[in-house]
Amino acid sequence: MLEKFQVKNYQSKEEAYLLLLSQINNLLNKDDKLISNLSNLTAAIKETFPTLNWVGFYLRENDFLYLGPFQGKVACTKIEIGKGVCGTSALKKETIIVPNVYEFPGHIFCDSASKSEIVVPILFEDYLWGVLDIDSPEFNTFDLIDKKYLEKIIEQFKASVLKYELLSYSSKMASSKI
Ligand code: SME
């Protein structure tokens, strides 16, 4: 499976996303562990766009987002919902594009190389499950093309993996004796 993941050079951003999207179903597997799927998804995005300096997940527990699988430098482990770009996206339940992180009030600096950022919320019905956070070392990296395709990637991730993970979690809880 891994050796089949393809990245092509010299293509437009849209072509790169389309190639990535076409491979997501093969990459993600509902029979694998959630943490493995999350990890490979960060790697697939980073391999597709190697100039990005940070690609990762923050996963929600109660009022906080906790650092999940990522590619990049060590990062803050806990972000309160409502704080920073990640917490704001989580609170508003919408994708946030930040062309210049220095101009975003309350931006949380994890990697000093980051200059622009996009955060996509992961919602399961209306429940905020986590966010996908991507940083670039250049200003103005992300636009509506990124928003459109990253949201599609998250939709595919939810349909292929998260649905089964949550269903299996509920059935494990229902059958658990403790
Ligand atoms: N910049 C984010 C924090 C996470 S790091 O970028 C990995 C924020 O303001 O929420």
Side-chain angles (χ1 to χ4, degrees):
M1 181 268 289
L2 285 180
E3 26 325 325
K4 286 191 200 147
F5 185 74
Q6 283 183 47
V7 176
K8 285 189 186 148
N9 292 328
Y10 310 113
Q11 57 187 346
S12 72
K13 180 153 78 174
E14 194 147 23
E15 285 170 325
Y17 274 121
L18 286 170
L19 180 58
L20 172 58
L21 261 174
S22 71
Q23 300 179 90
I24 292 269
N25 277 343
N26 276 342
L27 184 76
L28 300 176
N29 186 340
K30 71 179 172 55
D31 298 322
D32 281 336
K33 292 282 185 195
L34 177 65
I35 197 163
S36 314
N37 282 309
L38 287 167
S39 303
N40 261 344
L41 191 47
T42 63
I45 297 171
K46 184 79 172 70
E47 270 191 66
T48 301
F49 300 106
T51 56
L52 300 173
N53 60 306
W54 205 90
V55 178
F57 290 96
Y58 279 91
L59 308 180
R60 188 251 182 110
E61 257 188 62
N62 301 319
D63 294 335
F64 291 88
L65 297 167
Y66 292 90
L67 183 62
F70 69 95
Q71 301 259 317
K73 287 193 178 168
V74 294
C76 5
T77 53
K78 183 179 173 187
I79 297 173
E80 191 175 349
I81 292 188
K83 302 282 165 108
V85 187
C86 292
T88 304
S89 168
L91 184 67
K92 293 189 171 171
K93 298 180 177 171
E94 62 188 39
T95 297
I96 296 186
I97 295 171
V98 182
N100 177 349
V101 295
Y102 296 98
E103 291 175 355
F104 188 94
H107 173 265
I108 299 164
F109 281 92
C110 291
D111 181 347
S112 60
S114 300
K115 290 184 177 153
S116 58
E117 181 163 357
I118 185 168
V119 179
V120 182
I122 304 169
L123 297 165
F124 200 74
E125 295 174 356
D126 198 40
Y127 177 77
L128 186 280
W129 185 84
V131 300
L132 169 64
D133 179 21
I134 303 182
D135 290 15
S136 161
E138 304 293 336
F139 293 114
N140 302 307
T141 296
F142 305 105
D143 55 23
L144 293 178
I145 294 177
D146 298 280
K147 176 179 187 297
K148 174 180 162 183
Y149 285 103
L150 291 170
E151 287 177 353
K152 275 183 196 277
I153 288 168
I154 293 302
E155 282 313 307
Q156 244 179 301
F157 163 71
K158 281 164 51 180
S160 328
V161 176
L162 196 50
K163 186 173 80 181
Y164 293 95
E165 178 70 22
L166 294 183
L167 288 174
S168 110
Y169 180 74
S170 328
S171 72
K172 272 183 216 150
M173 292 304 284
S175 62
S176 167
K177 293 197 174 68
I178 54 167

